[in-house]
């Protein structure tokens, strides 16, 4: 038997996107992620829902999911500097600072921040 659906899983993609943003802004990150997961699956070519999904995972401490989503984003959009930064922060938060460094350096370089 299928799990019961809730109201926030209904509506057009635009309505669900708006709803996900409201949940994210209200710091209901796990709920936002649940909505965004379906949106990202429906339109994998759109960057914004995928980035907000990764942020939702990060803020709800679903770090392995955040990492997986960010790596998928960077595979498709390798010059997405915010995804580089987020992946670095996610890896740091996971206790993998050495693995995070190249992503953080790349994000800084893309933002024009060069060491003196």
């Amino acid at each position: 038997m299928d799990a019961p659906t809730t109201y926030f899983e209904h509506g057009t993609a635009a309505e669900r996107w708006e709803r996900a943003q409201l949940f994210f802004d209200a710091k209901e990150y796990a709920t936002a992620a649940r909505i965004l997961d379906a949106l990202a699956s429906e339109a994998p070519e759109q960057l914004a829902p995928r980035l907000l999904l990764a942020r939702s995972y990060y803020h709800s401490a679903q770090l392995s999911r955040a990492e997986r989503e960010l790596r998928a984003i960077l595979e498709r959009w390798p010059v997405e500097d915010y995804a580089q930064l987020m992946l670095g922060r996610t890896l740091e938060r996971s206790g993998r600072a050495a693995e995070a460094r190249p992503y953080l350096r790349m994000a800084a370089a893309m933002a024009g921040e060069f060491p003196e």
Side-chain angles (χ1 to χ4, degrees):
M1 186 169 145
D2 290 330
T5 59
T6 55
Y7 75 94
F8 51 79
E9 296 170 320
H10 297 285
T12 66
E15 290 168 337
R16 289 179 287 140
W17 167 247
E18 187 174 325
R19 198 171 298 127
Q21 290 177 306
L22 290 171
F23 276 107
F24 185 88
D25 291 343
K27 296 182 172 38
E28 294 288 335
Y29 303 117
T31 303
R34 187 169 161 189
I35 299 166
L36 291 162
D37 186 47
L39 281 174
S41 296
E42 290 171 24
E45 72 284 354
Q46 292 190 7
L47 178 60
R50 297 186 74 180
L51 274 175
L52 193 58
L53 174 60
R55 291 178 65 199
S56 297
Y57 284 149
Y58 177 86
H59 288 298
S60 61
Q62 299 179 63
L63 300 180
S64 62
R65 287 181 175 171
E67 179 184 352
R68 185 173 52 248
E69 189 62 32
L70 289 163
R71 288 187 187 279
I73 289 169
L74 288 172
E75 186 174 308
R76 188 169 191 146
W77 296 280
V79 295
E80 179 53 50
D81 60 327
Y82 189 66
Q84 296 275 351
L85 176 65
M86 280 201 57
L87 181 54
R89 296 284 182 237
T90 299
L91 293 169
E92 277 184 331
R93 191 170 171 194
S94 299
R96 297 156 56 195
E99 196 176 338
R101 271 187 225 104
Y103 296 101
L104 296 173
R105 280 196 308 266
M106 181 64 77
M110 292 172 130
E113 301 168 11
F114 300 101
E116 295 180 20

